[in-house]
Amino acid sequence: MTNINKIPMVRITWLDARDMETGWLPIKEIIDAPLAVCQEVGYMVVNNDDKIVIMRSWCIDKDDNHGGGAIAIPRGWVRKIEYLKVEYATR
């Protein structure tokens, strides 16, 4: 059984592909095509040399420990990992 309290909550910043406009474009615009800077927040369930996997949701029912909303990001795309902590909680 996974102890979710031992899995860090993070905000990951990574570079991703960005689609260009369709149609004819000046070659300079094509050469200067920017990458998309993206962020994801959640539980970092995997962090190794190949990938980081972030899971956004976790079911806390005692008999139903399932996660949801996961994304796998190639490790080479990751630019920053920020570790988050709980400052306060409400019921």
Side-chain angles (χ1 to χ4, degrees), residues 17-29:
R18 175 179 280 173
D19 196 10
M20 299 280 300
E21 278 184 49
T22 59
W24 295 101
L25 298 171
I27 189 68
K28 177 155 179 30
E29 284 184 37

Side-chain angles (χ1 to χ4, degrees), residues 12 14 40 50-54 71-78:
I12 302 291
W14 82 94
E40 188 74 34
D50 296 324
K51 65 185 176 185
I52 289 179
V53 179
I54 303 299
I71 182 171
I73 303 166
R75 192 64 172 89
W77 295 8
V78 174

Side-chain angles (χ1 to χ4, degrees), residues 31-44:
I31 291 170
D32 293 340
L35 295 172
V37 179
C38 304
Q39 290 187 319
E40 188 74 34
V41 174
Y43 297 95
M44 186 167 56

